Amino acid sequence: MLGLMQDWPLLCQRIIDHAAINHGERPVITRSIEGPFHRTNYAELRARALRVAQQLDRDSIKLGDRVATLAWNTWRHLESWYGILGIGAIYHTVNPRLFPEQIVWIINHAEDRVMMTDLTFVPLLEKLADKLPTIERYIVFTDAAHMPKTSLRNAIAYEEWIVGADGDFAWKEFDENTAAGMCYTSGTTGNPKGVVYSHRSNVLHTMLSLQPDAIGLSSRDTVLPIVPMFHANSWGLAFSSPMTGAALVLPGAKLDGPSVYELLDEFKVTCTGAVPTVWLLLLQYLEKTGAKLPYLERVVIGGSACPRAMIKAFEEDYGVQVFHAWGMTEMSPLGTVGSMKPQLADLKGDALLDMKQKQGYTPFGVEMKITDDAGRGVPWDGKTFGRIKVRGFAVSKGYYKLDDRILDADGFFDTGDVGTMDRYGYMQITDRSKDVIKSGGEWISSIDLENLAVGYPKVAEAAVIGVAHPKWDERPLLIIVLKEGQSATKEEILGFLEGKIASWWMPDDVAFVASIPHTATGKILKTALREQFKDHVLPTAIAAE
Ligand code: AMP
């Protein structure tokens, strides 16, 4: 017997409908690319999204067509998403921090028909346009007054483009399993892989993320999504904020410490999310200026491991609760969030930091297992490492145009991450499986060492890679960027680690560098560091020979 409930397809445009009806006046404020702050609200945003949908329809963009966006978080980008979604076309967010060749590759692979972009990226696209034959038209997110002279094919200012559409248009109806969005993973090896979200998976993921122990927003929140819309759907915030009626503050192109602080303070932001590198800049700014964060209640940190010192600074110095989250593009992206279960509610000081440093537990909608190489589950003892595998309604089952099977027999996806699970169900990432350091058959977590090293007050950023060793196969090399104006010795840094780690985890050498390279999503680019230090000879290697 089947249930007798209505068939109400889970379509993303219903989110902006709901926001316009219930929270129409809630503000959406943007630091515009042109400079000044721009204010709109959910009712206006929906009205303009309808005009985008109508104009795309007139331009013969149809169900299943891909529309690329190469853009910062702004109101125009957001309303375009809903306009694209509302006719069953697919928003394809392109990460501008990728190498130009990768940008060309993924646009061609996705066969995007239209490119919507910011003024910032017009010069880049002009250089690449010859290699982008599928793009029929470039729409620049600006008005006629700011539109530059450009050689881009059929280029038009966005405001000019929608001027002819009056918004007297209805969203199209289609199946909830229709593709909604695409995002390519920034693989460090091989070609990027296209993740394809559906309307259903996006709507369900939004509800998953809104569980109170996940990112639980309310209509009383003001949310600053610093994590870009091109980085795994800005962790769902572009959907979850309108679904709850939380006000939005969109940062545009400026993500430096003073600019982020200005937004947090001026607009009384209560909840924000970004990768650790962004928070590093903000915390340095706060330290330098003595500024405080009186309005901010919660900060979601993910994308790479959040250093303990960062959690401590937010929580103890600024009174802001940290939610350490883990996920990936293939998971829409949320996988775990570190909110405290009642058994842990009384933890304080170091014990609390120990738990907060873990990546947290799965919300409803994600199932996780941790296995050894043979696929057997490892004990949930908080010590035994294994491969992290997941399944759920917002987890990929394949990549665009690739036939490879990516699920195991039970339907689990191997994330490529290695971690432990404790008895409370809190997962902690040890490493990416390819970054873990294999020393004499045992594993050393590069993340653990990095997190400890950035706890030293003179250290701004730290990375650890494995370097070849004649006796142990690999040994850890600690690479350090010092804070401005600081100097330190190898002995001093290693002395700080002493007693905090098992002696055989101690890095064999320390290298000081001016900067550490990052990937397009703000992670330490270990492949580049391994290349840079491939001829590095560890002092212990000489001794062993
Ligand atoms: P992306 O698809 O670009 O979001 O990258 C996903 C990968 O980032 C994951 O598979 C992890 O390796 C890493 N990652 C994400 N969040 C965390 C976290 N909180 N701690 C450690 N690594 C993380």
Side-chain angles (χ1 to χ4, degrees), residues 465-468 477 479 526-538:
I465 55 168
V467 171
L477 166 68
I479 301 161
K526 298 263 169 112
T527 44
L529 286 178
R530 282 195 280 266
E531 180 58 28
Q532 188 179 338
F533 286 96
K534 71 177 188 303
D535 300 325
H536 187 85
V537 182
L538 296 168

Side-chain angles (χ1 to χ4, degrees), residues 306-357:
C306 179
R308 188 183 184 89
M310 186 172 281
I311 303 175
K312 193 168 154 72
F314 270 119
E315 299 232 336
E316 294 178 8
D317 301 346
Y318 300 103
V320 177
Q321 260 196 302
V322 170
F323 287 84
H324 190 187
W326 164 88
M328 63 195 311
T329 306
E330 285 90 333
M331 299 183 72
S332 299
L334 277 186
T336 58
V337 184
S339 77
M340 290 299 118
K341 294 186 182 178
Q343 307 90 299
L344 307 168
D346 294 333
L347 290 181
K348 300 234 156 31
D350 276 344
L352 178 64
L353 284 177
D354 286 346
M355 281 317 281
K356 289 230 153 185
Q357 221 183 314

Side-chain angles (χ1 to χ4, degrees), residues 245-260:
L248 267 176
V249 179
L250 300 171
K254 292 196 172 158
L255 308 181
D256 58 282
S259 302
V260 167

